[in-house]
Structure formats: C-alpha cells, structure tokens
Amino acid sequence: MKRNILTSVFATLMLLLVSYNGNAQTKKATVANTKATIEIIQFHSEHRCMTCNKIEVLTRETLKSYPSIPFSLVNVDDKKNEKLAAQFEAAGTALFLYNPKTKKKQDLSDMAFMNAGDKDKFIKELKIKIESFK
C-alpha cells in the first residue's frame, strides 16, 4: 500500500516537473526567435590598439544594462567580413548602432574614441545614444 502511494506521488512530481520544463523551454524559444531592433557593431582591424580594446570592454559593460541588445565584433581584415565592412564604410576601428529591420545606422566612432579614457562618461554617452536611437 505504501509503495503504491509513493509511486503515485513520484509519478505526479515527475509529471509536474516535465510539464514545467516544457513551458520554460517554449518561453526561451519564443524569446530567442524575437529579432532585436537594435544592435551594436564594433569593427576593428587585425592588430588592435589599446583604445580599440578599451572601447570593446566599455561597450560590453554598458550592454549589461541592455541584455537584449546584441554586440558584434567584426574584423575588417577578414575576407568573410568584407561586404559588411563595405556596407558600413569601416576600414578600421568603428562603433555603430544598427537597426537591422530599418537598416538605420548611427556612427558612434568619434564618441567612442573621445570618451574611451573616461569610463563613466563613455557609459553615460553610449546609454544616451542607445535610448535616443530606439
């Protein structure tokens, strides 16, 4: 009798667990299929300078406040990125906000280079640019 009760309880718990995980996976798949309306793309050449590396670090840190915004790092010297670099007219280090749906882009390279030495100012300015780009 006790064995039947334990088996029933165990089966019910397993059924609930499987049901819960199935719903969680469906929600994750729905979020993953939603295309971002804004992206940040940083272009760089093969040999990166200290400022280029700093721009990447500060951009990634800023994007912790925006987990839904994807960040791409693109080497312009790599042949497979030639078309994308040409589309953005990037020949070296450059930072862009980009909307893949509307193809709208905003060059943030000047802002990034001017503020790379000041973490707080860089993050503040990038957040302003992101918020106004939407």
Side-chain angles (χ1 to χ4, degrees):
M1 179 72 174
K2 285 184 180 181
R3 187 175 188 141
N4 287 341
I5 293 173
L6 287 175
T7 303
S8 296
V9 170
F10 180 77
T12 303
L13 287 174
M14 290 302 293
L15 187 60
L16 288 172
L17 183 63
V18 169
S19 172
Y20 176 75
N21 281 338
N23 288 338
Q25 289 173 350
T26 302
K27 288 178 184 175
K28 286 179 187 176
T30 303
V31 170
N33 288 335
T34 305
K35 295 277 186 184
T37 57
I38 184 174
E39 298 176 5
I40 295 188
I41 304 170
Q42 182 183 355
F43 294 93
H44 67 87
S45 53
E46 187 68 34
H47 302 287
R48 299 176 69 191
C49 68
M50 187 171 63
T51 305
C52 177
N53 289 321
K54 187 68 173 180
I55 290 170
E56 178 187 355
V57 168
L58 293 174
T59 301
R60 288 186 188 276
E61 186 164 334
T62 304
L63 290 178
K64 288 179 182 176
S65 299
Y66 303 93
S68 64
I69 297 177
F71 176 70
S72 300
L73 194 58
V74 180
N75 181 347
V76 297
D77 293 332
D78 190 338
K79 290 286 186 195
K80 69 180 181 182
N81 298 325
E82 193 173 293
K83 189 174 180 180
L84 183 63
Q87 177 186 346
F88 284 84
E89 299 176 2
T93 301
L95 187 66
F96 282 89
L97 286 175
Y98 178 63
N99 182 327
K101 291 182 180 178
T102 64
K103 307 295 184 209
K104 178 182 173 186
K105 52 190 165 189
Q106 183 178 3
D107 188 349
L108 303 179
S109 303
D110 289 342
M111 181 284 300
F113 275 102
M114 288 175 50
N115 298 312
D118 185 341
K119 175 183 175 181
D120 293 334
K121 189 170 183 182
F122 183 99
I123 291 172
K124 179 183 174 188
E125 290 295 319
L126 183 53
K127 284 182 176 183
I128 289 169
K129 298 291 187 186
I130 290 170
E131 293 298 325
S132 66
F133 188 76
K134 290 183 177 181

